[in-house]
Amino acid sequence: MSADSEKRLAAARAVTLVEDGMTLGLGTGSTASYAIRFLGMKVSEGMRLRGVPTSEATAALARECGIPLVSLKEAGRIDLTIDGADEVDTQMRMIKGGGGALLREKIVAAASDAVIIIVDASKVVQKLGSFPLPVEVVPFGAAYVQSMIESLGARPTLRGGEANPFITDDGHYILDCAFRTIERPEELSAMLNATPGVVDTGLFIGVTDALIVGRGDQTKVFKRSKQANA
Ligand code: 5RP
């Protein structure tokens, strides 16, 4: 089974947990896109749903799929968010932001009663850090933050390069920081978030209620602090 089929399976499993009338946080990335397409099918079958998108790209896809959208302000509270991740460890700590939407993803997750993360099996790791940690920064402070992160022993690179930097939906830059291994994610997250110029990081800790992993032709559901076979 390919990673793509595993993503699709995980997404399909997550969508079985969606109930009529829910307000949903719609994640960003290829795995979340599968979920959005499945949700679009639910809407076309008559399910009443509304979505709060975590990026402009997701908003466009959701519109294409016929999912009514509301702003976070209009939604107030979100019942359930379904999103992907770049890496997840055994304590459900994650690296996100490969798709550049980490800030809105973190806000939407925080405003949600429940968060389900859907991944293919390759995303599950013993220790975070092989995937370069995305750090969203204010353009004015990017060089300062870059040198601060270098002093921690990581190799930060400006996403898109100096000539054509990637700009997030909120007008920021992203530094992709190769740490190789992140021994203490909580400490690193606190340190980076305390650095002037940092808007937020792709470390998502204590955010996930359930993780759905597509592995081969099966899905496995992990609930926070306990594991269950799907
Ligand atoms: C976007 C994200 C994505 O969830 C993450 O990059 C995973 O993407 P994909 O499902 O395409 O592998 O955090 O900011």
Side-chain angles (χ1 to χ4, degrees):
M1 277 272 182
S2 67
D4 256 357
S5 348
E6 293 181 344
K7 289 176 185 195
R8 200 168 182 280
L9 276 178
R13 181 65 205 261
V15 167
T16 63
L17 303 172
V18 171
E19 291 168 15
D20 189 47
M22 276 187 165
T23 300
L24 299 168
L26 305 174
T28 294
S30 55
T31 319
S33 295
Y34 280 120
I36 292 164
R37 289 196 180 91
F38 288 129
L39 291 169
M41 290 179 207
K42 294 266 183 203
V43 169
S44 69
E45 290 161 6
M47 197 181 254
R48 287 162 306 144
L49 298 174
R50 48 186 208 159
V52 178
T54 54
S55 64
E56 298 303 326
T58 286
L61 176 63
R63 274 188 212 105
E64 226 175 85
C65 296
I67 302 170
L69 296 179
V70 286
S71 68
L72 187 51
K73 187 177 175 187
E74 285 162 331
R77 201 67 203 162
I78 294 168
D79 296 301
L80 171 67
T81 283
I82 301 174
D83 202 350
D86 299 299
E87 276 187 355
V88 192
D89 76 4
T90 49
Q91 295 176 51
M92 284 194 205
R93 298 175 296 194
M94 299 181 282
I95 290 182
K96 285 183 52 54
L102 68 94
L103 180 59
R104 293 190 187 187
E105 289 171 336
K106 206 177 265 189
I107 295 168
V108 167
S112 301
D113 292 338
V115 176
I116 296 179
I117 295 297
I118 49 177
V119 293
D120 64 271
S122 73
K123 305 284 186 65
V124 182
V125 298
Q126 284 300 313
K127 280 190 179 177
L128 299 177
S130 295
F131 190 92
L133 175 68
V135 177
E136 186 156 343
V137 296
V138 171
F140 179 84
Y144 166 72
V145 176
Q146 193 157 1
S147 62
M148 183 272 176
I149 291 174
E150 267 160 8
S151 74
L152 299 177
R155 276 191 308 105
T157 50
L158 181 64
R159 190 176 295 183
E162 296 289 338
N164 188 24
F166 172 85
I167 309 281
T168 70
D169 285 342
D170 296 291
H172 303 132
Y173 288 172
I174 289 194
L175 297 172
D176 290 305
C177 305
F179 279 93
R180 305 218 299 203
T181 304
I182 299 175
E183 295 294 344
R184 288 178 293 280
E186 287 83 358
E187 266 177 43
L188 180 64
S189 170
M191 193 186 305
L192 292 172
N193 277 316
T195 303
V198 170
V199 179
D200 214 329
T201 81
L203 282 168
F204 282 52
I205 299 170
V207 166
T208 316
D209 296 288
L211 170 68
I212 301 182
V213 183
R215 188 180 292 277
D217 60 2
Q218 313 252 311
T219 52
K220 209 163 194 187
V221 180
F222 299 83
K223 298 208 174 119
R224 208 203 294 234
S225 83
K226 64 176 196 277
Q227 178 184 338
N229 276 334

